[in-house]
Amino acid sequence: MHLLREDGRTGAVRRSALSELTDRWLSGLFSTAADGMTGVALVAVGGYGRGELSPRSDLDLVLLHDGGAKSGVAALAEQLWYPVWDNGIALDHSVRDLSTARKVAADDLKVQLGLLDARHVAGDPGLTAALRSAILADWRAGAAKRLPELHEMCRERAERHGELAFLLEPDLKEARGGLRDLTALDAVAASWIADAPRTGLAEAGARLRDVRDTLHLVTGRATDRLSLQEQDAVALDLGVLDADILLRQVYEAARTVAYASDVTWREVDRVLRSRSGSKIRRTVRFGFGSNAPAARGAVERSPLAEGVVEQDGEAVLAHAARPATDPALPLRAAAAAAQAGLPLAPSTVRRLAAETRPLPVPWPDEARDQLITLLGAGESAVPVWEALEAEGLIARLLPDWDRVRCRPQRNAVHRWTVDRHLVETAVQAAALTRRVARPDLLLVAALLHDIGKGWPGDHSEAGEVITRDVAVRLGFPKQDVETLALLVRHHLLLVETATRRDLDDPATVAAITSVVGSTGALELLHALTEADALATGPAAWSSWRATLVADLAERAAAALAGDGGHLDTAPEPSAEEERLAVEAARTNGPVLSVHAEAEHPSDPSAEPMGVTLTLALHDRPGVLPTVAGVLALHRLTVRSAAIRELDPIGAGAVLALTWQVAAEYGEVPEAARLRADIRRALDGGMDVTRRLAERDAAAPRRRGIAAPPPRVTVAKGGSASATVLEVRAHDAPGLLHRIGRALEDTGVRVRNARISTLGADAVDAFYVTGPDDLPLPPSRAVEVARSVERALS
């Protein structure tokens, strides 16, 4: 009691002192009771064996003997155990010889884990040394069987007790990310199979143990649950300002432990699979159309993105990657990993954190697109985001993030901390991207909608201010900045109005329309409302609430029906398009121009990020799918595109196609080769569809993510001269080629098109007519839309 209450020592020093004090007491008991007996030893195991005694910890003891004088050993045990019980100390005890201890450990994983921490207290040290050597040898010899059992035990415990980092009343020992997981990591390290990333791990463990010690002293009980009513007292005793800061410190420690556990178990799985020979190793080439055999014994490295490859089930940096000169690489690597459903290798994240320079402000377009692609990956984005957070990359990308990181929400409805809730809202929003014309704005608004909770005052008002700053930092144009600010400021508007106001009152609908102003903003707000509620928890979104919000949104959309949400007229053709169209009309052949484009044109040292390709030719069947297929064969990703019909000299319609494309792996093809392949494909000398199918068949199979299904709709009132089909789908190589083929197969004519890729989502509009050059009848339009949707599914 003097040590715990008056000595002044705290933390690890006090735990060690308490263990030493207990050792001296037990040694004295043993010396008196053994009275010269040989062949026996008192051994501390478990937490006591590690010298980590908390104020109310159990004493885990084994009385080890060499098999002789069993009656004397039994009497010795009684003289040891009873004084412990008489002092009111919980005791976990056993009496075993060496062979029995090994047998019990072989049959009971928990016993074996405790014996891994065996430490000599009294008696024959040779017996203790023999026990330690034997248990460690058995553990290492049986690691291939024992480690999967331990991993399953950890998973089952996490399911029972939840995640320490998100619980308002966490169990410091049993919850995922708690002290039990630290013990498991030490056991893995003892197997020599793998080791945890050690940065910050010791400090995290010390913090959790300090809180547990204080909880024992505050409550006077051997409890590991940090209940709400004890948090203020524990915070005060630890010298922490308040219970919220205490929880944030606990959550940060738990996340460090949980991340280390994820990394370690992934490595264990990799090593055990490689030992079993279950993984076939091969080399996958990067070249277009290569079918050369793999080098025997080579490590598999499949390309994911420029500078990023897949290896051993993880996303890693390519050999040629240069983080120091590629500031968008962390986001590109994260997006590629999430879209492929892969984790980011810890060594890759550490290298990115150490070598990558800060992004310029505003961000280049590629960086913003990669962030949106990461968020659009849904569930698989979460572990990738956590890996970036573990190395401090998220705070470097989004400086305001630190204010919400690990911030608790003292509301029973919320199941996540503020930062994780924002990520989970983006996960939910990723499943709703087909419902909106601007999935990029939906995903970013989801990530930022509660960012104001890290500041004083109304979090929606604070969030609006922060969002404007972040949106400008990310490089969004002014109109998009305003839309994002509106979504964050009013993200609770629909649900609060729908559940508190009379929907039949015209003033209710007017209150919505006066704020959102357009159908595009309304559909974004509706999707954000649903994503926010789904991410909050089961109690926040019911069928009743969903129906009320949908009803209100539908009424508001009807009131906004004439807001001009769909464009009827195409932008004026550029001078380059007009020049090429004139040349194509005069020469009666396709004319192309290819210009390299830099992310920052004002920087003469900037490397080309892609090309602008402009093609003019007389209208003919198959132009769209053919050209799109050639671009896909050259591994060019379409950022945006426009198709316009011109008649520059009155000699008949000429199609002008302008494409902004980026090289999938950073290599912009030579203009001459691109021209030659497009001409050959248009003349029938290259079967683009067959070539794409052959390449897809030869590509390595990977699981990827489960993207929302494609959606093809007929835009109401979209154009007076054509039927507008809106296609929303997950972007993929050859997608535009497949859309073009599907449209050709229905017999419609594509007069104009607006193609845009927003992160991982394609949002395209096709202006089509029938053979009579008139808009399609409504029933025919729906039939064409369904046909294209089936072709993409």
Side-chain angles (χ1 to χ4, degrees):
M1 292 304 296
H2 173 78
L3 172 64
L4 295 177
R5 293 294 184 185
E6 301 171 15
D7 185 273
R9 283 179 282 185
T10 60
V13 174
R14 182 171 62 193
R15 286 188 291 275
S16 178
L18 185 57
S19 297
E20 293 171 2
L21 177 64
T22 307
D23 286 353
R24 291 196 298 271
W25 175 51
L26 290 174
S27 295
L29 291 176
F30 183 91
S31 178
T32 301
D35 193 23
M37 184 185 299
T38 61
V40 290
L42 185 61
V43 182
V45 298
Y48 179 32
R50 294 188 298 273
E52 296 173 352
L53 273 184
S54 287
R56 295 287 177 172
S57 287
D58 295 354
L59 293 185
D60 296 327
L61 293 168
V62 176
L63 184 58
L64 189 66
H65 62 91
D66 60 6
K70 292 185 179 180
S71 59
V73 171
L76 173 61
E78 288 188 3
Q79 295 180 68
L80 289 173
W81 308 153
Y82 277 101
V84 176
W85 288 325
D86 289 344
N87 277 275
I89 299 173
L91 175 67
D92 187 352
H93 61 91
S94 60
V95 179
R96 294 191 176 107
D97 60 26
L98 181 59
S99 62
T100 303
R102 294 179 68 183
K103 182 177 184 305
V104 173
D107 294 336
D108 190 326
L109 179 57
K110 292 182 179 179
V111 171
Q112 190 169 34
L113 291 174
L115 290 173
L116 287 175
D117 294 311
R119 181 174 59 81
H120 184 70
V121 176
D124 185 351
L127 273 178
T128 305
L131 174 67
R132 283 183 53 82
S133 297
I135 292 298
L136 280 170
D138 293 344
W139 177 246
R140 289 162 185 159
K145 174 187 175 184
R146 282 305 208 183
L147 289 180
E149 290 179 19
L150 177 58
H151 191 192
E152 183 59 29
M153 182 189 296
C154 292
R155 280 195 291 254
E156 291 175 355
R157 178 166 40 77
E159 289 177 4
R160 287 194 308 271
H161 297 279
E163 292 227 23
L164 199 163
F166 305 117
L167 296 169
L168 276 176
E169 294 187 313
D171 189 309
L172 301 168
K173 189 173 184 179
E174 303 291 344
R176 181 175 181 268
L179 295 170
R180 289 282 192 204
D181 279 337
L182 282 168
T183 302
L185 292 177
D186 287 342
V188 173
S191 73
W192 292 350
I193 295 290
D195 194 12
R198 292 289 164 179
T199 303
L201 195 59
E203 293 82 358
R207 191 58 184 168
L208 293 176
R209 294 184 185 99
D210 289 351
V211 175
R212 183 184 183 229
D213 289 358
T214 306
L215 181 62
H216 283 190
L217 292 174
V218 165
T219 62
R221 295 180 289 110
T223 179
D224 299 316
R225 183 169 298 281
L226 186 59
S227 61
L228 290 172
Q229 63 266 27
E230 311 295 351
Q231 290 172 11
D232 286 319
V234 171
L236 180 65
D237 205 55
L238 283 170
V240 176
L241 183 61
D242 58 33
D244 275 2
I245 294 178
L246 171 67
L247 277 184
R248 290 189 76 175
Q249 292 179 352
V250 169
Y251 292 165
E252 287 174 355
R255 287 197 191 180
T256 299
V257 176
Y259 176 69
S261 297
D262 289 341
V263 170
T264 303
W265 287 119
R266 198 160 65 238
E267 179 65 10
V268 168
D269 182 60
R270 186 192 66 78
V271 172
L272 294 183
R273 280 189 291 109
S274 67
R275 287 187 177 183
S276 68
S278 62
K279 186 170 180 62
I280 300 173
R281 294 184 176 273
R282 55 194 176 88
T283 298
V284 177
R285 279 106 5 244
F286 288 68
F288 159 49
S290 173
N291 289 312
R296 179 174 298 177
V299 176
E300 177 182 1
R301 293 176 70 85
S302 305
L304 294 173
E306 171 63 15
V308 189
V309 299
E310 175 186 353
Q311 178 180 315
D312 283 335
E314 294 179 321
V316 303
L317 294 184
H319 293 310
R322 298 292 179 267
T325 59
D326 189 355
L329 185 56
L331 285 168
R332 191 186 318 123
Q339 288 289 328
L342 298 170
L344 264 178
S347 58
T348 291
V349 187
R350 285 195 295 271
R351 184 181 171 196
L352 290 170
E355 299 181 21
T356 308
R357 294 179 303 170
L359 280 164
V361 178
W363 286 12
D365 291 346
E366 187 208 1
R368 184 176 64 255
D369 287 345
Q370 296 296 350
L371 173 64
I372 293 161
T373 301
L374 168 61
L375 299 176
E379 285 286 351
S380 66
V382 176
V384 175
W385 188 275
E386 289 178 340
L388 297 178
E389 272 211 295
E391 296 295 337
L393 281 165
I394 296 297
R396 282 164 53 180
L397 292 167
L398 303 171
D400 291 285
W401 195 258
D402 266 344
R403 283 184 170 265
V404 295
R405 187 173 189 272
C406 294
R407 181 174 288 275
Q409 303 201 75
R410 294 186 177 277
N411 184 325
V413 173
H414 278 279
R415 57 180 173 180
W416 305 111
T417 53
V418 177
D419 61 330
R420 182 58 179 271
H421 170 70
L422 295 176
V423 176
E424 290 291 335
T425 303
V427 169
Q428 296 295 336
L432 306 176
T433 50
R434 303 296 174 263
R435 286 173 29 182
V436 299
R438 291 295 304 273
D440 55 334
L441 298 184
L442 172 62
L443 292 167
V444 173
L447 184 69
L448 299 177
H449 75 281
D450 274 350
I451 195 75
K453 287 186 174 179
W455 295 79
D458 184 291
H459 79 278
S460 297
E461 294 177 1
E464 178 186 5
V465 175
I466 298 167
T467 297
R468 289 182 188 278
D469 179 66
V470 173
V472 170
R473 180 186 185 88
L474 268 54
F476 279 104
K478 186 176 187 303
Q479 184 176 349
D480 291 348
V481 172
E482 294 302 318
T483 300
L484 287 168
L486 181 148
L487 293 173
V488 172
R489 173 66 180 88
H490 299 288
H491 68 273
L492 298 174
L493 176 66
L494 283 180
V495 69
E496 289 183 348
T497 304
T499 56
R500 299 175 184 178
R501 299 279 294 274
D502 179 6
L503 301 192
D504 292 324
D505 185 346
T508 300
V509 173
I512 301 299
T513 58
S514 64
V515 170
V516 298
S518 70
T519 55
L522 177 63
E523 70 178 12
L524 284 167
L525 188 60
H526 186 189
L528 176 59
T529 300
E530 183 171 337
D532 181 18
L534 289 170
T536 297
W541 196 243
S542 62
S543 58
W544 169 73
R545 287 193 175 206
T547 301
L548 287 177
V549 170
D551 188 6
L552 177 58
E554 185 177 346
R555 292 171 188 243
L560 292 167
D563 72 344
H566 299 292
L567 297 176
D568 188 30
T569 58
E572 290 296 316
S574 67
E576 180 74 352
E577 289 172 331
E578 289 184 330
R579 182 183 69 80
L580 294 182
V582 170
E583 187 177 347
R586 288 174 176 170
T587 62
N588 203 33
V591 182
L592 298 92
S593 70
V594 180
H595 298 289
E597 60 176 10
E599 191 69 71
H600 296 286
S602 59
D603 182 0
S605 66
E607 295 184 4
M609 294 299 297
V611 298
T612 297
L613 183 151
T614 306
L615 167 69
L617 73 169
H618 281 289
D619 193 8
R620 66 173 80 175
V623 170
L624 174 62
T626 300
V627 178
V630 172
L631 297 179
L633 283 173
H634 281 273
R635 298 193 183 277
L636 291 172
T637 300
V638 178
R639 288 177 171 174
S640 64
I643 302 174
R644 300 181 180 89
E645 187 180 83
L646 307 175
D647 187 359
I649 62 174
V654 173
L655 288 182
L657 301 89
T658 299
W659 313 72
Q660 277 77 43
V661 296
E664 188 175 350
Y665 300 120
E667 297 178 1
V668 179
E670 294 181 359
R673 182 181 176 190
L674 200 55
R675 290 189 189 97
D677 283 350
I678 290 176
R679 289 179 184 274
R680 192 153 55 98
L682 288 170
D683 292 340
M686 177 192 296
D687 189 337
V688 174
T689 301
R690 181 179 62 80
R691 294 282 294 275
L692 284 172
E694 289 174 350
R695 192 183 72 180
D696 290 345
R701 300 292 178 186
R702 61 172 61 95
R703 56 185 179 180
I705 63 168
R711 185 180 182 188
V712 183
T713 58
V714 181
K716 296 179 181 179
S719 172
S721 59
T723 296
V724 181
L725 297 180
E726 293 186 341
V727 180
R728 300 172 184 177
H730 186 73
D731 191 32
L735 173 66
L736 193 53
H737 171 73
R738 288 188 287 130
I739 295 174
R741 281 193 60 197
L743 288 170
E744 293 281 344
D745 290 344
T746 64
V748 301
R749 180 174 173 233
V750 180
R751 289 182 51 187
N752 291 296
R754 320 279 177 78
I755 312 300
S756 59
T757 303
L758 304 170
D761 293 302
V763 182
D764 306 333
F766 299 90
Y767 292 67
V768 302
T769 61
D772 55 2
D773 285 339
L774 295 175
L776 305 178
S779 59
R780 171 68 174 144
V782 172
E783 179 185 333
V784 171
R786 295 287 78 77
S787 178
V788 175
E789 192 170 273
R790 285 193 298 271
L792 299 180
S793 298

